[in-house]
Amino acid sequence: MERRKFLKQASMTTAALAVGGRSAATNPATTQPIAPLKPVYREKETGHAAPQDHGKALVNPGMGWTMHFYSNVPQNYGSKLEPSDTLDYFPGLSTVYLRLPWSFIEPEEGRFNWEMLDTPAQRWIEKGKKTAFRITSTESWTRFGTPEWVFRAGAKYEEGDDYWEPDYGDPIFLEKMENFVSAMAKRYDDESGTAFVDLGHFGLWGEGHTRMVAKYGNSWALEAKKKHIDIYCRHFKKTLLCLSDDYTGSNQPNEHFAITDYAFLRGVSLRDDSILVDPPPNSWYHSKMAQFFWPSLPVILEHEHYGSSVKRGAWDRELLLQSVEDYHASYMSIHWWPEILLEENREVIDRINRRMGYRLQMKDMQWPDSVPTGEPFTIRSQWCNAGVAPCYGGGYPCFTLKDDKGGIVAVLTDTSFDVKTLPVAPPGEASASSLTSSFSVAPAFGRFSRACQPGTYDLFFSVGKLNGTPLYELPYAESDGHKRYHAGRITLTERNV
């Protein structure tokens, strides 16, 4: 979506023309049903479907597990994977995450080593998955997270025994950084291939930790952080941008901070990099802050390196699940050797997959067994979201008729009901919104097209674009392979004259 100031979620549209007819939906805010268009004939016998959620992981836009292929150090954690290994066995994996120092990608000014990012990215993109990025300017394990040529150009820095830290507000540093961000955006500001981009040029590991505050003060840090946000927002117009919670301080629990409020107003979301770093009761600090973000922007969680968390006594499977609930998280990291993380935590990973992000369910559906071609009829359905977060991208229920050869006979989209308005709730408490949709099957084509000849057809339901293209995987088994799910059969009869 275009970069802009995010507003509160729009309320549900009440009545609007649908492809083929009108509809009525129950408005969650008022629970007052809108009167449907009445059919001109009486529905006698009714088809019915109440599919059961299969409980498996779904891979959908704007949510899922993110694999740390590079976790600052290039050897962690994709280095043991074969080029053909894209972790297809890991349930719910949607994104490969690439986090590296700036110096690795632009070793000389204007000369870029993009293949270090493009090579693993294309492995996942080829499988229909997405990529995410963080490029950092300060690392604890290498002297030059920022390329040395930036300092030689005159950018100020503090020279430490372990690493050199740039003055993040220095004009020369900001100029060189913006040149890089501009080049990066030209390559990766693409919703179709990029899930999100972290703001990574401020602080150690891109998390906002800096020794510079002692020298320049907190007001300097706030203004410098704002400049970094502005630079990324100037160049990334389509892709979700994210700010580490540690920009506020790693262990300061509060709901509002000046820098995160500023990020939100720029349409930048929240990423918590500190899940299960410390043992309970300090397993995380900023779930209250997330309440400001999650109603309109996806929240991203990164748990501590799994092995380190276990060694520190901080790892707790139930708390990992609870963090998803508390933050209403859309993404969670795979921050270790993936096969080990899955083998030792599969049960909780499966449970997280049933809650993380959104989980659209069609709970019940009724329709007439037979319909005269060209005459109005109704489909009544119930929809809910069993996940912890809204379906931010939105979408519309669609009902598709197919013949015995799998050919599409009719596409009936209800444009009055956007699934992003479905409320979220605690586990097992999601309420269903009722939808009454009125359609007519191709009244203009009846005489001229073989597509709508009288006969019995398979009826499918899906959620997707206004034009009926399915976007979202739903938790049901009987699919046509294109995210449409079988409900039953419907007969088209000769039109009454």
Side-chain angles (χ1 to χ4, degrees):
M1 61 185 69
E2 293 295 324
R3 177 66 44 199
R4 65 188 185 278
K5 178 179 177 179
F6 277 78
L7 304 176
K8 292 182 179 179
Q9 286 184 307
S11 60
M12 182 179 298
T13 303
T14 55
L17 289 176
V19 177
R22 298 184 183 181
S23 72
T26 300
N27 188 327
T30 64
T31 68
Q32 295 298 316
I34 304 157
L37 179 68
K38 293 182 179 179
V40 298
Y41 69 96
R42 182 180 300 276
E43 297 169 9
K44 296 181 179 179
E45 297 184 14
T46 304
H48 179 251
Q52 298 301 304
D53 188 321
H54 56 43
K56 298 177 183 178
L58 305 176
V59 177
N60 273 322
M63 58 173 282
W65 292 83
T66 64
M67 159 61 185
H68 278 66
F69 190 92
Y70 300 128
S71 184
N72 303 80
V73 179
Q75 290 79 8
N76 295 339
Y77 288 100
S79 62
K80 294 182 179 180
L81 299 177
E82 295 290 334
S84 60
D85 187 355
T86 51
L87 306 184
D88 297 342
Y89 60 83
F90 201 105
L93 172 64
S94 68
T95 306
V96 62
Y97 182 63
L98 308 172
R99 186 163 74 195
L100 284 172
W102 178 12
S103 58
F104 280 47
I105 308 303
E106 193 179 10
E108 299 176 17
E109 187 168 13
R111 185 177 71 82
F112 300 100
N113 185 22
W114 298 121
E115 58 267 29
M116 197 165 187
L117 302 176
D118 291 345
T119 300
Q122 284 302 314
R123 297 174 187 171
W124 267 263
I125 290 172
E126 190 173 67
K127 296 289 185 68
K129 307 299 176 62
K130 293 193 176 185
T131 55
F133 303 93
R134 180 188 293 180
I135 305 302
T136 67
S137 60
T138 307
E139 292 289 338
S140 59
W141 55 274
T142 180
R143 175 174 294 179
F144 295 112
T146 296
E148 189 175 6
W149 57 262
V150 175
F151 301 133
R152 289 177 177 169
K156 297 177 183 176
Y157 63 94
E158 289 292 318
E159 184 175 347
D161 293 336
D162 42 1
Y163 58 86
W164 291 14
E165 184 173 22
D167 176 341
Y168 303 105
D170 178 78
I172 296 175
F173 175 86
L174 291 172
E175 175 194 349
K176 305 302 184 184
M177 170 197 156
E178 182 155 15
N179 291 341
F180 174 82
V181 172
S182 174
M184 183 180 177
K186 289 176 183 176
R187 199 174 189 91
Y188 301 117
D189 188 21
D190 174 11
E191 287 180 292
S192 65
T194 307
F196 58 85
V197 172
D198 295 344
L199 279 70
H201 279 85
F202 192 100
L204 190 61
W205 312 309
E207 295 180 1
H209 315 290
T210 175
R211 299 184 293 207
M212 287 288 180
V213 171
K215 182 175 182 179
Y216 293 115
N218 286 316
S219 60
W220 162 86
L222 176 61
E223 292 308 310
K225 290 171 184 175
K226 287 182 176 180
K227 290 176 181 177
H228 283 233
I229 291 173
D230 292 342
I231 285 173
Y232 271 86
C233 288
R234 270 199 293 274
H235 297 284
F236 282 92
K237 302 293 187 181
K238 302 174 184 177
T239 305
L240 177 68
L241 295 173
C242 308
L243 185 79
S244 172
D245 66 311
D246 291 342
Y247 271 54
T248 67
S250 60
N251 58 0
Q252 299 180 35
N254 206 335
E255 186 173 356
H256 290 285
F257 293 87
I259 191 58
T260 49
D261 285 357
Y262 183 77
F264 178 81
L265 292 174
R266 295 304 311 270
V268 175
S269 194
L270 179 70
R271 175 192 181 92
D272 194 314
D273 287 318
S274 310
I275 303 300
L276 305 184
V277 172
D278 296 324
N282 299 314
S283 299
W284 54 81
Y285 296 93
H286 293 138
S287 57
K288 287 184 178 180
M289 189 194 304
Q291 309 314 304
F292 190 44
F293 287 84
W294 75 259
S296 57
L297 291 166
V299 171
I300 300 160
L301 298 184
E302 177 187 308
H303 64 72
E304 167 68 312
H305 300 263
Y306 171 60
S308 301
S309 182
V310 170
K311 187 177 296 185
R312 197 178 292 126
W315 188 260
D316 185 299
R317 297 180 182 90
E318 294 301 317
L319 285 175
L320 185 69
L321 173 59
Q322 190 61 45
S323 71
V324 173
E325 298 285 345
D326 287 3
Y327 281 81
H328 293 263
S330 292
Y331 290 96
M332 174 61 83
S333 63
I334 301 172
H335 206 189
W336 196 244
W337 307 106
E339 68 280 3
I340 296 175
L341 182 71
L342 179 60
E343 180 181 352
E344 298 182 5
N345 297 277
R346 177 176 287 273
E347 190 270 341
V348 75
I349 287 171
D350 289 340
R351 291 165 64 196
I352 287 172
N353 279 330
R354 291 191 284 272
R355 288 289 289 163
M356 184 164 60
Y358 53 91
R359 191 175 185 89
L360 304 176
Q361 295 176 334
M362 200 288 292
K363 303 291 288 184
D364 192 89
M365 179 174 160
Q366 296 182 34
W367 65 93
D369 279 345
S370 63
V371 177
T373 303
E375 294 190 8
F377 69 98
T378 57
I379 296 177
R380 294 178 176 86
S381 55
Q382 292 187 333
W383 299 84
C384 73
N385 179 2
V388 300
C391 178
Y392 300 101
Y396 306 90
C398 180
F399 306 95
T400 302
L401 276 63
K402 287 190 170 188
D403 64 20
D404 291 338
K405 296 180 180 179
I408 293 175
V409 173
V411 175
L412 309 170
T413 307
D414 189 329
T415 61
S416 75
F417 182 72
D418 193 334
V419 295
K420 74 180 178 182
T421 64
L422 288 169
V424 301
E429 298 182 20
S431 59
S433 294
S434 297
L435 180 66
T436 301
S437 308
S438 182
F439 304 108
S440 57
V441 176
F445 298 156
R447 295 182 186 176
F448 310 108
S449 173
R450 293 184 61 190
C452 297
Q453 294 297 309
T456 300
Y457 299 97
D458 287 302
L459 177 61
F460 293 80
F461 61 91
S462 60
V463 179
K465 296 182 180 181
L466 288 166
N467 65 5
T469 302
L471 287 176
Y472 301 111
E473 188 178 356
L474 305 181
Y476 306 112
E478 200 169 350
S479 167
D480 69 347
H482 300 282
K483 301 177 183 175
R484 298 183 188 93
Y485 299 86
H486 192 257
R489 303 270 280 175
I490 187 169
T491 298
L492 300 183
T493 63
E494 291 285 357
R495 185 176 186 180
N496 297 330
V497 180

